[in-house]
Amino acid sequence: MTYWGGWRCFLVSLSLLVIFVHLFSVIELQHESLVKDPQKKVNKKFDHLVLGPAAGQGLPNRLQCQGLKALNKTHLPKSSNASRVGDRIVFVTVFTVYNTQLDSRVSTNVVTVGNASYTKAERSMAILNVFVNFIQLTMPRSKVIILSDPASDFSLHRDGVTMYPIQGEYSRDKLMLQRIKSYITFLETRLKDLAENPGNTTHYIFTDSDVAVVDDLEPLFHSFPNFHLALTFRNNKEQPLNSGFIAVRGTSDAILRAKNYLQEVLNIYRSKYMKASRMLGDQLALAWTIKSQPGFDLKRFTKGQAFQEEIGRTLVLFLPCATYNWTPPEGAGQFHGMPLDVKVVHFKGSRKRLMLESWNYFNSSSDISDMLCLILMSGRTKYDF
């Protein structure tokens, strides 16, 4: 017994020695690799903007920049929009905060943008404020409605902004699902209001709160006078539709059809894509409603031109992301630059620092076109939030 026990101890010790040598070798190889090629730290995030060449230089119908100066300015100044008379447009977004202590200061969780420092909850509020700022700049007659959890501990005291609590499940894992539910509930209340006050036409644009409206969107409802609901598309086979921008015409018929369409999206979401409930489930469900439509030509998503199609009983207007939902530094149109007619910039993911930086730059330059050059030149960089 002592003989075999000794052999077992020897074999165990030998195995541990081999494992240690292997781990030491791997660590040494990684260290040498980083010393030889420090650029391999691909996941490094920057706490400042990193500017590079502007994509799309020399291409027609694209923003041309010389440094941070736009050479072809196409966006109208604020004053040109102020006197416009037409139907009212209301922007609707879903927003909540998860850290209820907005005044807390945790040194490891504070970021600085310009002259301001933010905790995680504070920077979410800063982004929401900038979202409102851009709307009030480019469409001063428009109002903003924020749909949120009644228990959410935040407030936004701004002229033209209304808080609208809707009961639901606003956890991170269910937020995309709740967003569709909140849209449906909101549209149901609008139908009741119209039944009591007919003739009061207000169009609705549902967006994420990390978008910047950089041009007037009112012409959308005049240029395309028949659609019930509008979605934005990109040339992406699996996820051709982005849910960050949805427009609904303000008539009773359009609101009803849009509500029914979103209800169908919600049903598909629940039955097919709950595993993607944290992200992308709503976009996969939207895509399913289109792909399951008999005779729908998916090739139209590659052409970048607006078109209309009846889906079920809803007349859906498909708008190119390149104009109505452009995303830096990747997404529709990025590698060919920024379209001159861009109207909405979507600061997804870690690009939210760029959203705050862009507003700060606009305050110093007072020129939207120059600000768009800053966005275009900010490069394919990972920022800190």
Side-chain angles (χ1 to χ4, degrees), residues 64-90:
Q64 304 297 309
C65 303
Q66 187 174 62
L68 294 181
K69 290 293 182 182
L71 300 179
N72 44 0
K73 301 177 185 290
T74 61
H75 290 76
L76 300 176
K78 176 182 176 181
S79 59
S80 67
N81 294 323
S83 61
R84 186 188 294 269
V85 177
D87 296 335
R88 247 191 355 155
I89 294 177
V90 170

PDB file of all heavy atoms in Angstrom, residues 64-90:
ATOM      1  N   GLN A  64     -18.659  66.746 -46.910  1.00  0.00           N
ATOM      2  CA  GLN A  64     -17.239  66.983 -47.152  1.00  0.00           C
ATOM      3  C   GLN A  64     -16.701  67.905 -46.053  1.00  0.00           C
ATOM      4  O   GLN A  64     -17.297  68.944 -45.768  1.00  0.00           O
ATOM      5  CB  GLN A  64     -17.023  67.620 -48.523  1.00  0.00           C
ATOM      6  CG  GLN A  64     -17.604  66.818 -49.682  1.00  0.00           C
ATOM      7  CD  GLN A  64     -16.949  65.455 -49.822  1.00  0.00           C
ATOM      8  OE1 GLN A  64     -15.726  65.338 -49.863  1.00  0.00           O
ATOM      9  NE2 GLN A  64     -17.768  64.417 -49.881  1.00  0.00           N
ATOM     10  N   CYS A  65     -15.614  67.487 -45.437  1.00  0.00           N
ATOM     11  CA  CYS A  65     -15.070  68.233 -44.300  1.00  0.00           C
ATOM     12  C   CYS A  65     -13.618  68.609 -44.545  1.00  0.00           C
ATOM     13  O   CYS A  65     -12.850  67.850 -45.146  1.00  0.00           O
ATOM     14  CB  CYS A  65     -15.151  67.391 -43.024  1.00  0.00           C
ATOM     15  SG  CYS A  65     -16.821  66.835 -42.603  1.00  0.00           S
ATOM     16  N   GLN A  66     -13.263  69.782 -44.071  1.00  0.00           N
ATOM     17  CA  GLN A  66     -11.861  70.190 -44.019  1.00  0.00           C
ATOM     18  C   GLN A  66     -11.561  70.450 -42.555  1.00  0.00           C
ATOM     19  O   GLN A  66     -11.925  71.482 -42.010  1.00  0.00           O
ATOM     20  CB  GLN A  66     -11.621  71.438 -44.862  1.00  0.00           C
ATOM     21  CG  GLN A  66     -10.153  71.818 -44.986  1.00  0.00           C
ATOM     22  CD  GLN A  66      -9.967  72.961 -45.953  1.00  0.00           C
ATOM     23  OE1 GLN A  66     -10.481  74.054 -45.734  1.00  0.00           O
ATOM     24  NE2 GLN A  66      -9.231  72.721 -47.030  1.00  0.00           N
ATOM     25  N   GLY A  67     -10.903  69.461 -41.924  1.00  0.00           N
ATOM     26  CA  GLY A  67     -10.810  69.498 -40.479  1.00  0.00           C
ATOM     27  C   GLY A  67     -12.206  69.371 -39.893  1.00  0.00           C
ATOM     28  O   GLY A  67     -12.983  68.504 -40.291  1.00  0.00           O
ATOM     29  N   LEU A  68     -12.551  70.261 -38.988  1.00  0.00           N
ATOM     30  CA  LEU A  68     -13.889  70.248 -38.390  1.00  0.00           C
ATOM     31  C   LEU A  68     -14.790  71.310 -39.017  1.00  0.00           C
ATOM     32  O   LEU A  68     -15.766  71.742 -38.407  1.00  0.00           O
ATOM     33  CB  LEU A  68     -13.794  70.465 -36.878  1.00  0.00           C
ATOM     34  CG  LEU A  68     -13.097  69.346 -36.103  1.00  0.00           C
ATOM     35  CD1 LEU A  68     -13.082  69.663 -34.612  1.00  0.00           C
ATOM     36  CD2 LEU A  68     -13.781  68.002 -36.344  1.00  0.00           C
ATOM     37  N   LYS A  69     -14.503  71.688 -40.249  1.00  0.00           N
ATOM     38  CA  LYS A  69     -15.334  72.626 -40.984  1.00  0.00           C
ATOM     39  C   LYS A  69     -16.009  71.916 -42.145  1.00  0.00           C
ATOM     40  O   LYS A  69     -15.355  71.250 -42.954  1.00  0.00           O
ATOM     41  CB  LYS A  69     -14.504  73.809 -41.512  1.00  0.00           C
ATOM     42  CG  LYS A  69     -14.011  74.750 -40.423  1.00  0.00           C
ATOM     43  CD  LYS A  69     -15.183  75.489 -39.772  1.00  0.00           C
ATOM     44  CE  LYS A  69     -14.705  76.465 -38.711  1.00  0.00           C
ATOM     45  NZ  LYS A  69     -15.838  77.150 -38.052  1.00  0.00           N
ATOM     46  N   ALA A  70     -17.320  72.050 -42.229  1.00  0.00           N
ATOM     47  CA  ALA A  70     -18.062  71.435 -43.326  1.00  0.00           C
ATOM     48  C   ALA A  70     -17.943  72.302 -44.569  1.00  0.00           C
ATOM     49  O   ALA A  70     -18.149  73.517 -44.507  1.00  0.00           O
ATOM     50  CB  ALA A  70     -19.521  71.265 -42.928  1.00  0.00           C
ATOM     51  N   LEU A  71     -17.628  71.671 -45.689  1.00  0.00           N
ATOM     52  CA  LEU A  71     -17.469  72.404 -46.944  1.00  0.00           C
ATOM     53  C   LEU A  71     -18.787  72.524 -47.692  1.00  0.00           C
ATOM     54  O   LEU A  71     -18.936  73.387 -48.552  1.00  0.00           O
ATOM     55  CB  LEU A  71     -16.421  71.715 -47.826  1.00  0.00           C
ATOM     56  CG  LEU A  71     -15.027  71.596 -47.218  1.00  0.00           C
ATOM     57  CD1 LEU A  71     -14.081  70.881 -48.189  1.00  0.00           C
ATOM     58  CD2 LEU A  71     -14.478  72.979 -46.859  1.00  0.00           C
ATOM     59  N   ASN A  72     -19.716  71.634 -47.413  1.00  0.00           N
ATOM     60  CA  ASN A  72     -21.035  71.707 -48.061  1.00  0.00           C
ATOM     61  C   ASN A  72     -22.111  71.679 -46.982  1.00  0.00           C
ATOM     62  O   ASN A  72     -22.527  70.631 -46.535  1.00  0.00           O
ATOM     63  CB  ASN A  72     -21.234  70.582 -49.075  1.00  0.00           C
ATOM     64  CG  ASN A  72     -20.763  69.231 -48.561  1.00  0.00           C
ATOM     65  OD1 ASN A  72     -20.278  69.102 -47.429  1.00  0.00           O
ATOM     66  ND2 ASN A  72     -20.936  68.211 -49.373  1.00  0.00           N
ATOM     67  N   LYS A  73     -22.539  72.853 -46.556  1.00  0.00           N
ATOM     68  CA  LYS A  73     -23.505  72.982 -45.473  1.00  0.00           C
ATOM     69  C   LYS A  73     -24.916  72.857 -46.049  1.00  0.00           C
ATOM     70  O   LYS A  73     -25.300  73.595 -46.944  1.00  0.00           O
ATOM     71  CB  LYS A  73     -23.339  74.318 -44.762  1.00  0.00           C
ATOM     72  CG  LYS A  73     -21.940  74.524 -44.173  1.00  0.00           C
ATOM     73  CD  LYS A  73     -21.820  75.906 -43.542  1.00  0.00           C
ATOM     74  CE  LYS A  73     -20.403  76.176 -43.062  1.00  0.00           C
ATOM     75  NZ  LYS A  73     -20.063  75.362 -41.904  1.00  0.00           N
ATOM     76  N   THR A  74     -25.673  71.910 -45.512  1.00  0.00           N
ATOM     77  CA  THR A  74     -27.016  71.684 -46.049  1.00  0.00           C
ATOM     78  C   THR A  74     -28.101  71.840 -45.004  1.00  0.00           C
ATOM     79  O   THR A  74     -29.271  71.930 -45.350  1.00  0.00           O
ATOM     80  CB  THR A  74     -27.124  70.260 -46.625  1.00  0.00           C
ATOM     81  OG1 THR A  74     -26.894  69.321 -45.569  1.00  0.00           O
ATOM     82  CG2 THR A  74     -26.115  70.025 -47.721  1.00  0.00           C
ATOM     83  N   HIS A  75     -27.743  71.860 -43.730  1.00  0.00           N
ATOM     84  CA  HIS A  75     -28.766  71.916 -42.690  1.00  0.00           C
ATOM     85  C   HIS A  75     -29.176  73.354 -42.418  1.00  0.00           C
ATOM     86  O   HIS A  75     -28.338  74.251 -42.307  1.00  0.00           O
ATOM     87  CB  HIS A  75     -28.274  71.232 -41.412  1.00  0.00           C
ATOM     88  CG  HIS A  75     -28.158  69.758 -41.570  1.00  0.00           C
ATOM     89  ND1 HIS A  75     -27.119  69.166 -42.258  1.00  0.00           N
ATOM     90  CD2 HIS A  75     -28.977  68.748 -41.172  1.00  0.00           C
ATOM     91  CE1 HIS A  75     -27.289  67.850 -42.250  1.00  0.00           C
ATOM     92  NE2 HIS A  75     -28.410  67.574 -41.604  1.00  0.00           N
ATOM     93  N   LEU A  76     -30.486  73.558 -42.344  1.00  0.00           N
ATOM     94  CA  LEU A  76     -31.024  74.897 -42.187  1.00  0.00           C
ATOM     95  C   LEU A  76     -30.790  75.411 -40.777  1.00  0.00           C
ATOM     96  O   LEU A  76     -30.807  74.639 -39.823  1.00  0.00           O
ATOM     97  CB  LEU A  76     -32.526  74.892 -42.496  1.00  0.00           C
ATOM     98  CG  LEU A  76     -32.911  74.447 -43.907  1.00  0.00           C
ATOM     99  CD1 LEU A  76     -34.429  74.400 -44.025  1.00  0.00           C
ATOM    100  CD2 LEU A  76     -32.325  75.384 -44.948  1.00  0.00           C
ATOM    101  N   PRO A  77     -30.591  76.711 -40.626  1.00  0.00           N
ATOM    102  CA  PRO A  77     -30.463  77.267 -39.275  1.00  0.00           C
ATOM    103  C   PRO A  77     -31.776  77.163 -38.518  1.00  0.00           C
ATOM    104  O   PRO A  77     -32.844  77.007 -39.097  1.00  0.00           O
ATOM    105  CB  PRO A  77     -30.081  78.735 -39.528  1.00  0.00           C
ATOM    106  CG  PRO A  77     -30.602  79.028 -40.909  1.00  0.00           C
ATOM    107  CD  PRO A  77     -30.452  77.741 -41.674  1.00  0.00           C
ATOM    108  N   LYS A  78     -31.693  77.264 -37.214  1.00  0.00           N
ATOM    109  CA  LYS A  78     -32.844  77.086 -36.329  1.00  0.00           C
ATOM    110  C   LYS A  78     -33.993  78.022 -36.680  1.00  0.00           C
ATOM    111  O   LYS A  78     -35.157  77.638 -36.654  1.00  0.00           O
ATOM    112  CB  LYS A  78     -32.396  77.312 -34.886  1.00  0.00           C
ATOM    113  CG  LYS A  78     -33.508  77.255 -33.858  1.00  0.00           C
ATOM    114  CD  LYS A  78     -32.949  77.530 -32.478  1.00  0.00           C
ATOM    115  CE  LYS A  78     -34.049  77.583 -31.422  1.00  0.00           C
ATOM    116  NZ  LYS A  78     -33.520  77.881 -30.088  1.00  0.00           N
ATOM    117  N   SER A  79     -33.692  79.258 -37.042  1.00  0.00           N
ATOM    118  CA  SER A  79     -34.734  80.253 -37.270  1.00  0.00           C
ATOM    119  C   SER A  79     -35.647  79.894 -38.421  1.00  0.00           C
ATOM    120  O   SER A  79     -36.795  80.304 -38.475  1.00  0.00           O
ATOM    121  CB  SER A  79     -34.101  81.626 -37.525  1.00  0.00           C
ATOM    122  OG  SER A  79     -33.246  81.562 -38.655  1.00  0.00           O
ATOM    123  N   SER A  80     -35.148  79.108 -39.406  1.00  0.00           N
ATOM    124  CA  SER A  80     -35.963  78.767 -40.563  1.00  0.00           C
ATOM    125  C   SER A  80     -37.084  77.817 -40.211  1.00  0.00           C
ATOM    126  O   SER A  80     -38.078  77.711 -40.903  1.00  0.00           O
ATOM    127  CB  SER A  80     -35.089  78.135 -41.656  1.00  0.00           C
ATOM    128  OG  SER A  80     -34.610  76.880 -41.217  1.00  0.00           O
ATOM    129  N   ASN A  81     -36.932  77.076 -39.106  1.00  0.00           N
ATOM    130  CA  ASN A  81     -37.957  76.126 -38.701  1.00  0.00           C
ATOM    131  C   ASN A  81     -38.992  76.736 -37.762  1.00  0.00           C
ATOM    132  O   ASN A  81     -40.094  76.228 -37.627  1.00  0.00           O
ATOM    133  CB  ASN A  81     -37.311  74.926 -37.996  1.00  0.00           C
ATOM    134  CG  ASN A  81     -36.442  74.122 -38.926  1.00  0.00           C
ATOM    135  OD1 ASN A  81     -36.759  73.960 -40.089  1.00  0.00           O
ATOM    136  ND2 ASN A  81     -35.332  73.625 -38.409  1.00  0.00           N
ATOM    137  N   ALA A  82     -38.637  77.827 -37.085  1.00  0.00           N
ATOM    138  CA  ALA A  82     -39.470  78.339 -36.007  1.00  0.00           C
ATOM    139  C   ALA A  82     -40.825  78.836 -36.496  1.00  0.00           C
ATOM    140  O   ALA A  82     -41.818  78.758 -35.779  1.00  0.00           O
ATOM    141  CB  ALA A  82     -38.727  79.458 -35.275  1.00  0.00           C
ATOM    142  N   SER A  83     -40.886  79.360 -37.728  1.00  0.00           N
ATOM    143  CA  SER A  83     -42.126  79.948 -38.212  1.00  0.00           C
ATOM    144  C   SER A  83     -42.995  78.960 -38.981  1.00  0.00           C
ATOM    145  O   SER A  83     -44.072  79.315 -39.436  1.00  0.00           O
ATOM    146  CB  SER A  83     -41.799  81.151 -39.106  1.00  0.00           C
ATOM    147  OG  SER A  83     -41.039  80.736 -40.225  1.00  0.00           O
ATOM    148  N   ARG A  84     -42.538  77.732 -39.167  1.00  0.00           N
ATOM    149  CA  ARG A  84     -43.288  76.753 -39.945  1.00  0.00           C
ATOM    150  C   ARG A  84     -44.617  76.434 -39.239  1.00  0.00           C
ATOM    151  O   ARG A  84     -44.672  76.216 -38.037  1.00  0.00           O
ATOM    152  CB  ARG A  84     -42.469  75.466 -40.111  1.00  0.00           C
ATOM    153  CG  ARG A  84     -43.136  74.464 -41.042  1.00  0.00           C
ATOM    154  CD  ARG A  84     -42.377  73.153 -40.989  1.00  0.00           C
ATOM    155  NE  ARG A  84     -41.035  73.303 -41.526  1.00  0.00           N
ATOM    156  CZ  ARG A  84     -40.727  73.104 -42.790  1.00  0.00           C
ATOM    157  NH1 ARG A  84     -41.634  72.754 -43.654  1.00  0.00           N
ATOM    158  NH2 ARG A  84     -39.475  73.257 -43.199  1.00  0.00           N
ATOM    159  N   VAL A  85     -45.674  76.384 -40.018  1.00  0.00           N
ATOM    160  CA  VAL A  85     -46.990  76.058 -39.482  1.00  0.00           C
ATOM    161  C   VAL A  85     -47.441  74.740 -40.087  1.00  0.00           C
ATOM    162  O   VAL A  85     -47.424  74.561 -41.300  1.00  0.00           O
ATOM    163  CB  VAL A  85     -48.009  77.167 -39.799  1.00  0.00           C
ATOM    164  CG1 VAL A  85     -49.393  76.777 -39.299  1.00  0.00           C
ATOM    165  CG2 VAL A  85     -47.566  78.492 -39.180  1.00  0.00           C
ATOM    166  N   GLY A  86     -47.852  73.797 -39.247  1.00  0.00           N
ATOM    167  CA  GLY A  86     -48.293  72.497 -39.740  1.00  0.00           C
ATOM    168  C   GLY A  86     -48.772  71.642 -38.602  1.00  0.00           C
ATOM    169  O   GLY A  86     -49.012  72.123 -37.483  1.00  0.00           O
ATOM    170  N   ASP A  87     -48.938  70.350 -38.868  1.00  0.00           N
ATOM    171  CA  ASP A  87     -49.372  69.428 -37.831  1.00  0.00           C
ATOM    172  C   ASP A  87     -48.314  69.325 -36.740  1.00  0.00           C
ATOM    173  O   ASP A  87     -47.118  69.442 -36.998  1.00  0.00           O
ATOM    174  CB  ASP A  87     -49.631  68.045 -38.441  1.00  0.00           C
ATOM    175  CG  ASP A  87     -50.780  68.062 -39.433  1.00  0.00           C
ATOM    176  OD1 ASP A  87     -51.643  68.956 -39.307  1.00  0.00           O
ATOM    177  OD2 ASP A  87     -50.807  67.198 -40.315  1.00  0.00           O
ATOM    178  N   ARG A  88     -48.768  69.074 -35.539  1.00  0.00           N
ATOM    179  CA  ARG A  88     -47.845  68.937 -34.425  1.00  0.00           C
ATOM    180  C   ARG A  88     -47.148  67.590 -34.483  1.00  0.00           C
ATOM    181  O   ARG A  88     -47.722  66.591 -34.884  1.00  0.00           O
ATOM    182  CB  ARG A  88     -48.603  69.059 -33.102  1.00  0.00           C
ATOM    183  CG  ARG A  88     -48.231  70.296 -32.335  1.00  0.00           C
ATOM    184  CD  ARG A  88     -48.737  70.350 -30.932  1.00  0.00           C
ATOM    185  NE  ARG A  88     -49.611  69.300 -30.488  1.00  0.00           N
ATOM    186  CZ  ARG A  88     -49.748  68.953 -29.217  1.00  0.00           C
ATOM    187  NH1 ARG A  88     -49.031  69.552 -28.302  1.00  0.00           N
ATOM    188  NH2 ARG A  88     -50.591  68.018 -28.864  1.00  0.00           N
ATOM    189  N   ILE A  89     -45.894  67.562 -34.036  1.00  0.00           N
ATOM    190  CA  ILE A  89     -45.127  66.319 -33.951  1.00  0.00           C
ATOM    191  C   ILE A  89     -44.650  66.161 -32.516  1.00  0.00           C
ATOM    192  O   ILE A  89     -44.095  67.094 -31.920  1.00  0.00           O
ATOM    193  CB  ILE A  89     -43.940  66.309 -34.918  1.00  0.00           C
ATOM    194  CG1 ILE A  89     -44.442  66.309 -36.370  1.00  0.00           C
ATOM    195  CG2 ILE A  89     -43.045  65.090 -34.668  1.00  0.00           C
ATOM    196  CD1 ILE A  89     -43.352  66.373 -37.400  1.00  0.00           C
ATOM    197  N   VAL A  90     -44.875  64.984 -31.953  1.00  0.00           N
ATOM    198  CA  VAL A  90     -44.447  64.676 -30.598  1.00  0.00           C
ATOM    199  C   VAL A  90     -43.457  63.518 -30.654  1.00  0.00           C
ATOM    200  O   VAL A  90     -43.718  62.500 -31.312  1.00  0.00           O
ATOM    201  CB  VAL A  90     -45.644  64.305 -29.700  1.00  0.00           C
ATOM    202  CG1 VAL A  90     -45.164  63.763 -28.364  1.00  0.00           C
ATOM    203  CG2 VAL A  90     -46.538  65.523 -29.484  1.00  0.00           C
TER     204      VAL A  90
END
